[in-house]
Amino acid sequence: MTSRDLILGRIRAALGDTGTVAEQPLPRRYLSAHAPADDPAALLDLLHRNLTDYRALVHRCTEAELPSRIAELLAARGSRTVAVPAGLPDGWLTAAVGVEPLPDDGSLTAARLDAVDSVVTGCALAVAETGTIVLDGGPGQGRRLLSLVPDHHLCVVRAPEQVVASVPLALPRLDPARPQTWISGPSATSDIELDRVVGVHGPRTLEVLLVTV
Amino acid sequence: MRVALFATCVNDALFPATAVATVRLLERLGVTVDFPAGQTCCGQPQYNTGYRRACEPLVRRTARAFAGYDHVVTPSGSCVAMVRDNYPRIGARAATEGRGGELTDAATALAPRVIELTEFLVDVLGVEDVGAHFPYTVTYHPSCHGLRMLGLGERPLRLLRAVKGLELVELPGAEECCGFGGTFAVKNAAVSAAMAEDKLANALGTGAQVLCGADNSCLLHLGGTLRRRGDALRPLHLAEILASTEEHPWRPS
Amino acid sequence: MSDTFLGMPAFPQAAARAVRDRQLRANLRHATHTIRDKRARAVAELPDWAELRSAGKAIKDHTLRHLDRYLVQLEEAVTAAGGTVHWAADAEEANRIVAGLVHATGTTEVVKVKSMATQEIGLNEALAAEGVTAYETDLAELIVQLGEDRPSHILVPAIHRNRAEIREIFADRMASWGRPAPEGLTDSPAELAEAARLHLREKFLRAEVAVSGANFMVAETGTLVVVESEGNGRMCLTLPRTLISVVGIEKVVPTWRDLEVFLQLLPRSSTAERMNPYTSLWAGTTRGDGPSEFHLVLLDNGRTAALADQVGRQALRCIRCSACLNVCPVYERAGGHAYGSVYPGPIGAVLTPQLRGTASPVDASLPYASSLCGACYEVCPVAIDIPEVLVHLRERVAEQGGHPVERAAVAAAGYVLDHPAALAAAERLAGRTRALHPRRLPGPGRAWTDSRDLPEVPAEPFRDWWRRNRT
């Protein structure tokens, strides 16, 4: 007998007493959102607050200002090299003179990325209530290691179209077939005396640019 | 109104003053109190130590003793919790084990009629000011059963706040267990004693003269620790405070 | 479970030792109270917490009731997504499978994401015996591994250590495992975290195989979910070529949508955050992104035995948040090591005796390691009635007949309590002899009178007062 058969057999034997239990529909009486899902300005403010609360650096700008804001933020950190995921909109880095873009053609290994100053990405969506941005490897987001190894992650969120109120509203918009990383603030730990300290293995600086039209 | 008093075994044998106070308090509020002599113990110590089957005669006995009373009032939250939560479980397990529905019937008949003293005063009689007088500084320890199993909430505090002359001081960490836990106090004596120490440090820190509770089992443990340490803080059941009046003030027994 | 815990003393003895350790008690008190208050605030933010909790409970119960079906569905989905599924009936088989997979890659090192399942099966020790070194990469697990210590908490395995002790472990031990701690390391948590970052980075960059657990597995989509804070999980799940996840069979949930419940319940209960910093979700393998080989090892190791127990099976709902540890007054004073298991605290006291049985002294003592105060049940995000299961397991221990004196006492009490006249006589006798009662008891009674006086027995029981005054 294989262990698969053994385990499945043990489960069926263990559940022998439940055959007569009538199946109840799952109670889903919880809220689909705790914030007003139909008020984009309020949602954006909430996202901003919650990101800041977990020590992300948050900035706002318009679509037209985006290239210059990215350039300023990279310059402010003294970044000389920036990893560029496939499909990042062409215009985003045009103003960042003096910063060497490293387009990800599949050759950016973890070891190379370890020496890169920054990475700029877009996102799949952001969750206002929890201050979370979700990356799913789509255009402008790149492979998972791109937003992981460099110590500075600059992420662009387009509002209102990429901002949802809550986790229950986020999941239906995401494709389970794609690998996802949900990011809520920079890397942190509570392992020393259960007190939260920012900055361990992931990027120690997370900057989020909230872009409106 | 006529009610049955469920004195409980601990009060009967070790804290009769609490049961007497409950009788006097209820009578003062116009309630007629009976004490059905067939009652003994709810079975909680046996049940919580793993002797479920030993409780079955006590489920039958307790249900029989209090048959016919709409309200079975008891100054012990943990015994109410035993009847409400565990009697139905004892019945269900007996049925699963092929011993019929008799214990379930007994549990179902009894459980909804058993009521803790502060629930009875606030919810049934609708009183908070029971006309008591108690000129001491008091801090209140809500037992785990009262707090979490029964959800007594503010009831005991509202009753205490209405007592003339009483100064109520908040107990820090009130929601934490005192460490009694029935046979836990003996089986894990070191942890139990450490929990009592912390509870009493909080209570002594309030400067209160009286440590009030609504469960004498907690007070047995805390009081025993206080006496061993020689501290002056006096443990006292809520019923004895509520029974105290200017004409018949509480006196240390 | 791991050999490390064999031969442990019973809980009361180990706890009594811990209670006397002032440093340990101070560390635990500080840490548990910090997180306790934060959790309460994080939960209070959600007005529908009770509804989320009942949904979480119902989803888990439903899954357990159809566990065979959901595991088969999960297997199909993971396989379709490019992964390979293995089934392990016990710890020994799981360890053999993982060791075989590591050997097949030709490497002798693996990096590990913190995982309760791999601790439970003693994977690191089993791999070491096969010549493979497993590097723990979670900060707290690193502290435990470097300190040759044992974990004492589910979420924060080094909770028993304060910052000064951690600094000492890093300064003394890092060099023998790889990059030494920086010169002049202080005990500031930020510096300690930085030291861990530097120490582990070289290991992440060269690792070819990673071993993880998972918080959830989605049957419908084949998705695995790892919830973490530091980014060590992302490193392990993303950089190596081969990923092996060892996951208990009870971690499956039916649908993608079900995650909307658990991704709200877990972070707030666990680290008291609205959302933990990083959550990784993946199904099988993705071309060009992350590991090219993915193995899922489904672990039974006693879970089906727990499933067979009608009262005890609710413990399989556990999502390992550790909220019950953080509010437990017994855990706070006894510490995690006294539980003799990788699962300490209230959940450990109901899980360990079900996974390992109640034969050994420590396992038989665990169901009694609680005052039944109910704080654990109150905070449990999937509403496991831990006190109910504890009492149920006490029955199992009592039935195996280890406590002859107690059994005799219960039998004697049973007679007296079913005969009110005998009870009254006993009470009167106690009242008449009260001047003779000693202040301290010999034998088993000492456990009471070591720290407490006996109550003064009243002159007459209530029954007699009633007879004199009201009849």
Side-chain angles (χ1 to χ4, degrees):
Chain A
M1 189 193 272
T2 64
S3 292
R4 181 182 188 278
D5 294 339
L6 176 67
I7 294 169
L8 289 172
R10 283 175 181 171
I11 291 170
R12 285 164 194 147
L15 293 169
D17 64 295
T18 63
T20 53
V21 178
E23 195 75 11
Q24 302 291 319
L26 290 177
R28 293 191 192 265
R29 290 182 299 268
Y30 50 88
L31 303 171
S32 62
H34 303 89
D38 53 356
D39 185 344
L43 276 190
L44 190 59
D45 288 345
L46 182 64
L47 175 65
H48 190 146
R49 260 203 318 279
N50 283 337
L51 281 164
T52 307
D53 196 26
Y54 285 155
R55 319 270 184 90
L57 307 173
V58 186
H59 315 272
R60 296 200 191 195
C61 68
T62 63
E63 186 75 41
E65 293 163 344
L66 183 57
S68 60
R69 289 296 281 143
I70 290 176
E72 281 167 31
L73 294 170
L74 291 174
R77 281 202 41 105
S79 292
R80 315 267 293 264
T81 49
V82 57
V84 182
L88 196 79
D90 285 339
W92 284 13
L93 290 171
T94 46
V97 288
V99 181
E100 183 194 353
L102 300 167
D104 178 35
D105 51 8
S107 66
L108 288 179
T109 60
R112 278 196 71 197
L113 285 165
D114 196 31
V116 168
D117 296 323
S118 299
V119 60
V120 177
T121 74
C123 69
L125 54 78
V127 185
E129 271 181 20
T130 57
T132 303
I133 52 179
V134 180
L135 271 60
D136 71 355
Q141 300 169 51
R143 299 183 292 146
R144 282 172 284 173
L145 81 174
L146 261 70
S147 56
L148 172 62
V149 181
D151 204 17
H152 173 224
H153 178 194
L154 179 53
C155 182
V156 175
V157 179
R158 291 171 186 276
E161 64 269 28
Q162 288 187 319
V163 180
V164 299
S166 66
V167 171
L169 296 177
L171 282 162
R173 286 183 45 169
L174 293 166
D175 178 1
R178 309 181 76 97
Q180 291 167 23
T181 308
W182 296 32
I183 298 171
S184 309
S187 150
T189 183
S190 302
D191 280 352
I192 300 166
E193 300 177 10
L194 268 170
D195 217 354
R196 200 170 193 272
V197 182
V198 166
V200 200
H201 304 295
R204 284 178 291 187
T205 308
L206 173 68
E207 287 195 272
V208 180
L209 256 171
L210 303 175
V211 182
T212 48
V213 188
Chain B
M1 187 187 306
R2 177 178 289 271
V3 303
L5 171 68
F6 182 14
T8 80
C9 60
V10 166
N11 289 326
D12 178 22
L14 297 175
F15 298 96
T18 297
V20 170
T22 306
V23 172
R24 291 196 169 130
L25 168 67
L26 291 173
E27 287 177 348
R28 194 174 79 218
L29 295 170
V31 176
T32 308
V33 181
D34 286 349
F35 177 74
Q39 62 179 289
T40 58
C41 166
C42 66
Q44 183 179 202
Q46 300 87 320
Y47 184 81
N48 281 349
T49 311
Y51 297 88
R52 171 174 55 88
R53 293 289 298 270
C55 305
E56 292 182 357
L58 298 174
V59 173
R60 286 189 204 100
R61 163 167 295 282
T62 308
R64 231 179 10 248
F66 296 112
Y69 290 95
D70 288 344
H71 301 292
V72 179
V73 182
T74 178
S76 167
S78 73
C79 301
V80 178
M82 172 67 190
V83 175
R84 274 190 202 159
D85 293 352
N86 294 330
Y87 275 25
R89 284 178 180 147
I90 292 169
R93 288 294 301 279
T96 318
E97 288 161 6
R99 286 179 288 113
E102 172 233 348
L103 283 163
T104 297
D105 294 344
T108 317
L110 177 64
R113 295 182 290 118
V114 173
I115 188 164
E116 190 272 339
L117 176 63
T118 68
E119 291 178 321
F120 180 74
L121 294 173
V122 174
D123 302 351
V124 177
L125 296 186
V127 291
E128 286 183 16
D129 183 350
V130 297
H133 178 257
F134 191 77
Y136 300 94
T137 311
V138 175
T139 193
Y140 176 73
H141 164 62
S143 69
C144 299
H145 283 97
L147 189 70
R148 282 180 277 267
M149 282 65 164
L150 302 185
L152 295 184
E154 285 279 299
R155 290 181 187 85
L157 296 171
R158 289 194 336 237
L159 289 160
L160 283 171
R161 282 192 201 107
V163 173
K164 281 179 202 61
L166 187 151
E167 190 195 338
L168 185 65
V169 285
E170 195 185 326
L171 177 65
E175 73 291 346
E176 286 175 39
C177 177
C178 70
F180 174 61
T183 48
F184 172 79
V186 178
K187 283 180 182 285
N188 278 288
V191 178
S192 169
M195 288 162 69
E197 236 172 70
D198 293 344
K199 176 62 74 180
L200 290 175
N202 280 330
L204 291 163
T206 65
Q209 298 161 289
V210 171
L211 173 60
C212 171
D215 259 291
N216 271 333
S217 42
C218 303
L219 297 182
L220 173 79
H221 163 69
L222 293 174
T225 309
L226 281 167
R227 284 215 315 222
R228 173 61 55 85
R229 296 160 42 128
D231 287 311
L233 182 64
R234 165 83 200 206
L236 193 62
H237 193 284
L238 177 67
E240 295 177 58
I241 293 178
L242 298 181
S244 170
T245 59
E246 277 182 275
E247 301 75 49
H248 302 286
W250 170 78
R251 292 193 206 291
S253 50
Chain C
M1 283 195 204
S2 162
D3 292 345
T4 322
F5 292 111
L6 292 181
M8 283 288 299
F11 182 86
Q13 289 78 46
R17 256 201 306 283
V19 161
R20 288 193 295 270
D21 183 338
R22 295 202 159 273
Q23 180 68 64
L24 175 67
R25 262 179 85 181
N27 293 356
L28 284 170
R29 182 178 169 79
H30 171 73
T32 55
H33 282 254
T34 301
I35 192 74
R36 202 180 281 186
D37 301 343
K38 280 190 196 163
R39 188 213 72 98
R41 284 196 297 274
V43 165
E45 277 187 12
L46 298 189
D48 58 339
W49 185 257
E51 287 77 15
L52 284 165
R53 186 174 184 246
S54 54
K57 169 182 192 274
I59 293 168
K60 284 282 186 177
D61 278 347
H62 166 86
T63 315
L64 291 172
R65 226 164 22 241
H66 305 283
L67 189 58
D68 52 339
R69 164 153 57 92
Y70 286 122
L71 287 173
V72 170
Q73 189 187 8
L74 173 76
E75 180 184 41
E76 285 166 8
V78 170
T79 308
T84 307
V85 177
H86 310 260
W87 300 70
D90 54 27
E92 194 270 323
E93 186 176 16
N95 288 332
R96 202 171 57 233
I97 292 169
V98 176
L101 292 168
V102 176
H103 282 318
T105 67
T107 186
T108 55
E109 286 182 357
V110 301
V111 285
K112 279 189 70 202
V113 189
K114 175 175 161 32
S115 129
M116 296 308 299
T118 58
Q119 279 185 22
E120 175 191 322
I121 62 176
L123 178 66
N124 293 7
E125 294 79 4
L127 287 178
E130 296 272 326
V132 175
T133 308
Y135 294 109
E136 293 291 350
T137 65
D138 169 78
L139 178 51
E141 291 289 3
L142 176 69
I143 297 164
V144 168
Q145 187 171 47
L146 293 178
E148 292 172 5
D149 201 350
R150 285 182 293 115
S152 69
H153 190 276
I154 290 175
L155 171 72
V156 193
I159 193 173
H160 55 289
R161 300 289 197 186
N162 64 23
R163 59 189 71 189
E165 295 170 291
I166 295 167
R167 191 211 74 85
E168 205 154 299
I169 291 168
F170 278 14
D172 290 351
R173 306 283 306 151
M174 269 184 172
S176 54
W177 283 79
R179 180 173 173 152
E183 284 292 317
L185 180 68
T186 76
D187 67 1
S188 104
E191 270 191 47
L192 295 170
E194 166 75 7
R197 177 186 175 94
L198 294 170
H199 179 76
L200 288 172
R201 179 121 322 204
E202 58 175 33
K203 294 189 167 56
F204 290 133
L205 295 182
R206 72 164 186 249
E208 289 175 30
V209 177
V211 176
S212 84
N215 296 91
F216 308 102
M217 308 185 284
V218 181
E220 174 186 52
T221 57
T223 304
L224 269 77
V225 183
V226 167
V227 169
E228 54 135 353
S229 296
E230 297 170 10
N232 65 307
R234 292 178 69 191
M235 291 279 178
C236 293
L237 301 170
T238 311
L239 301 186
R241 274 204 296 273
T242 301
L243 171 62
I244 305 165
S245 300
V246 181
V247 189
I249 51 176
E250 82 284 15
K251 291 279 168 275
V252 66
V253 298
T255 67
W256 177 252
R257 185 189 174 185
D258 294 329
L259 294 176
E260 74 187 19
V261 175
F262 297 106
L263 290 181
Q264 295 193 74
L265 289 174
L266 180 55
R268 287 179 200 258
S269 299
S270 180
T271 50
E273 292 164 308
R274 289 182 199 103
M275 189 62 84
N276 49 289
Y278 299 131
T279 301
S280 294
L281 305 92
W282 77 97
T285 55
T286 304
R287 184 187 287 273
D289 185 356
S292 52
E293 214 181 294
F294 172 61
H295 296 274
L296 171 61
V297 182
L298 293 172
L299 178 71
D300 179 351
N301 202 36
R303 285 161 177 74
T304 48
L307 187 66
D309 186 309
Q310 289 176 44
V311 177
R313 65 168 62 123
Q314 59 183 307
L316 296 176
R317 293 203 294 262
C318 176
I319 57 174
R320 311 283 190 264
C321 71
S322 46
C324 63
L325 280 64
N326 299 333
V327 297
C328 178
V330 178
Y331 175 85
E332 181 189 329
R333 289 164 183 90
H337 291 155
Y339 293 81
S341 158
V342 299
Y343 302 109
I347 188 63
V350 296
L351 209 49
T352 306
Q354 295 201 78
L355 296 179
R356 296 199 299 216
T358 49
S360 77
V362 65
D363 292 340
S365 70
L366 287 176
Y368 298 92
S370 166
S371 65
L372 305 178
C373 84
C376 49
Y377 177 38
E378 189 175 52
V379 298
C380 177
V382 287
I384 301 169
D385 192 338
I386 293 176
E388 182 192 12
V389 183
L390 285 168
V391 170
H392 172 71
L393 294 172
R394 289 175 185 188
E395 194 181 329
R396 194 188 285 182
V397 174
E399 273 171 5
Q400 74 194 20
H403 304 132
V405 178
E406 180 177 285
R407 197 183 270 283
V410 169
Y415 176 82
V416 172
L417 294 174
D418 208 22
H419 295 80
L423 176 62
E427 287 170 345
R428 269 172 226 135
L429 179 66
R432 277 200 298 274
T433 58
R434 63 193 181 131
L436 309 171
H437 295 177
R439 200 147 167 265
R440 291 178 195 250
L441 293 177
R446 265 190 55 194
W448 180 274
T449 58
D450 269 352
S451 70
R452 290 156 288 219
D453 277 5
L454 289 169
E456 278 179 41
V457 174
E460 68 174 353
F462 174 74
R463 272 170 211 282
D464 288 358
W465 177 90
W466 180 269
R467 192 171 301 117
R468 284 197 300 110
N469 292 280
R470 290 293 187 276
T471 53

